[in-house]
Amino acid sequence: MKMKTKIILVMVLTILITSGIASAQNEIPLSPPPGYYGSVTVNGQPAPQGTTIIAKIGGEVRGSIITTASGFYGDNPGKTKLWIRGYQSEINSTVNFYLNDVAAQQTSTFKGPETDNRVDLSFTVPSGPGGGNSGGSSSGGSSGGGGGGVTTSGENASNIDVKESYDLEIFKDTLTSYRFTHVLNPIRYSNITGNVNAGLITTTVEVLKGTSSLVSSAAPGKVYKNVNIWVGTKNFATPANLKESKIMFSVKNSWLTDNKITANQLKLLRWDGSKWITLDTNEIRKDATTTYFESGTEGFSSFAISGITGITVTSAPDVAQTPIPGITGKATPARAPTIDNWMLFVIIAAVYFLIIRKK
């Protein structure tokens, strides 16, 4: 092979390898991810504590945060921010912010790693049924289609301390977040992802004075609160209609301390029709007065928040020291090589084969 041809082939090979490395680097997730914080208003008023804000890039959820103070999400300085996951190739992409399915009036851009970005958000949420966290009723709400509407639960009326109901629309593969606000209600959110487009659905929480009249035995352990939770009318809340259901609830720190119960011993129990079952329960955050937990459930009925002692558990790390990317509990994996990358590898191999063959 002529020297000139060899030089050209080597140059081509070098360029292809360099471009391949650059392409692979573009598919690496940013670590640590950029953080976002700022003020947040709903219909011109400071968003209440406990508001969930979701960030999306290209329609894909990349991060979320639950506010811990009225009118603000995240903090600066501080480690609590809306951490948005993404890739090198997505820097300067548009970030959209949502409260339920309502987009904020503002957008931002996806910045580089380890950046702190202030983005003040404002949401305009329609009032009335289906209008997000500002809609619904604290005393029952109105009837709705698609399995919605309020029915009599059958609970002994004298045993109901607080009843709180809200109407929101449930859509296929979309998160609907029912937020409960009564000071005596330990249930903060019922987060539903639909398997179907169900329309307007009523979700109700009955905070009880004692054990539900709908169960045949009291919940085990030291019970903090008994509640009934209903989603839609009878037989609606099934896996066929609901893809995922999570319940976020709170417990006073003073109660945990007085009863010598650790956060790891605090569980959400559900009555399955014949017995109490223990749901997987995780502490998600803690402040000066309250600890917040989340549990997944496959159904809705009577529940009990209870301290189950006598079990050996590993202490959870301090919420304030949770690793930065762990806000949503999902890591962003490196992307698999694309078709373009595979073609690049084939070209490199072919050029290398030609060089060897011509020698």
Side-chain angles (χ1 to χ4, degrees):
M1 177 185 292
K2 293 181 179 181
M3 180 60 67
K4 185 176 181 180
T5 304
K6 287 185 178 181
I7 293 174
I8 293 174
L9 288 174
V10 170
M11 291 176 63
V12 171
L13 181 60
T14 302
I15 293 171
L16 290 174
I17 291 174
T18 302
S19 62
I21 293 173
S23 177
Q25 288 177 337
N26 283 337
E27 305 304 320
I28 297 175
L30 300 186
S31 181
Y36 293 75
Y37 68 97
S39 64
V40 53
T41 61
V42 179
N43 296 339
Q45 300 298 317
Q49 176 183 344
T51 298
T52 299
I53 299 172
I54 296 173
K56 296 183 180 182
I57 297 177
E60 180 179 335
V61 175
R62 296 298 183 85
S64 66
I65 189 172
I66 299 174
T67 63
T68 58
S70 176
F72 293 93
Y73 72 100
D75 56 28
N76 191 55
K79 294 183 178 180
T80 302
K81 291 183 176 66
L82 172 50
W83 305 104
I84 301 181
R85 309 182 307 275
Y87 303 92
Q88 184 75 28
S89 60
E90 293 178 322
I91 290 179
N92 293 325
S93 296
T94 300
V95 178
N96 293 285
F97 302 89
Y98 292 86
L99 190 162
N100 291 334
D101 57 349
V102 177
Q105 297 175 18
Q106 300 79 16
T107 61
S108 185
T109 54
F110 185 61
K111 302 294 186 178
E114 297 188 85
T115 58
D116 294 336
N117 309 280
R118 174 159 187 159
V119 182
D120 295 329
L121 303 175
S122 57
F123 296 90
T124 300
V125 179
S127 60
N133 288 334
S134 63
S137 164
S138 62
S139 62
S142 59
S143 296
V150 176
T151 59
T152 302
S153 69
E155 181 63 52
N156 189 332
S158 64
N159 192 36
I160 299 176
D161 199 10
V162 171
K163 186 172 183 177
E164 200 173 356
S165 297
Y166 294 94
D167 300 331
L168 292 175
E169 292 185 84
I170 292 179
F171 298 100
K172 179 177 174 62
D173 298 327
T174 301
L175 174 68
T176 298
S177 185
Y178 294 85
R179 185 170 68 88
F180 300 91
T181 60
H182 197 287
V183 67
L184 298 180
N185 190 351
I187 306 300
R188 311 318 303 159
Y189 289 91
S190 177
N191 293 326
I192 307 293
T193 300
N195 246 341
V196 296
N197 294 322
L200 199 62
I201 299 296
T202 302
T203 291
T204 300
V205 174
E206 296 172 331
V207 184
L208 308 179
K209 299 175 182 177
T211 301
S212 172
S213 60
L214 304 176
V215 306
S216 58
S217 63
K222 182 67 175 180
V223 175
Y224 176 72
K225 193 69 68 173
N226 289 281
V227 298
N228 295 328
I229 306 177
W230 314 106
V231 176
T233 52
K234 185 178 181 181
N235 299 326
F236 171 74
T238 64
N241 294 324
L242 305 181
K243 176 178 289 186
E244 184 178 56
S245 303
K246 292 187 176 182
I247 298 169
M248 176 183 167
F249 61 95
S250 62
V251 176
K252 294 295 183 183
N253 295 337
S254 58
W255 184 88
L256 294 170
T257 300
D258 292 345
N259 290 279
K260 297 181 173 59
I261 292 172
T262 66
N264 287 315
Q265 294 172 323
L266 202 286
K267 302 296 178 183
L268 184 64
L269 312 177
R270 183 174 75 85
W271 182 257
D272 72 352
S274 60
K275 63 183 182 301
W276 290 100
I277 58 175
T278 303
L279 304 180
D280 185 25
T281 304
N282 299 296
E283 177 186 349
I284 55 176
R285 63 186 175 90
K286 181 179 181 179
D287 58 31
T289 62
T290 309
T291 302
Y292 299 85
F293 301 85
E294 185 178 67
S295 296
T297 181
E298 293 186 351
F300 292 89
S301 54
S302 297
F303 293 82
I305 300 169
S306 184
I308 309 297
T309 57
I311 59 175
T312 303
V313 293
T314 302
S315 297
D318 191 336
V319 173
Q321 298 177 359
T322 300
I324 288 175
I327 296 298
T328 61
K330 294 182 180 179
T332 303
R335 292 178 177 174
T338 63
I339 293 177
D340 290 341
N341 285 339
W342 284 112
M343 292 177 63
L344 180 63
F345 297 150
V346 171
I347 293 172
I348 293 173
V351 172
Y352 180 76
F353 176 75
L354 287 174
I355 293 175
I356 298 300
R357 184 177 180 184
K358 294 291 185 178
K359 286 184 177 181

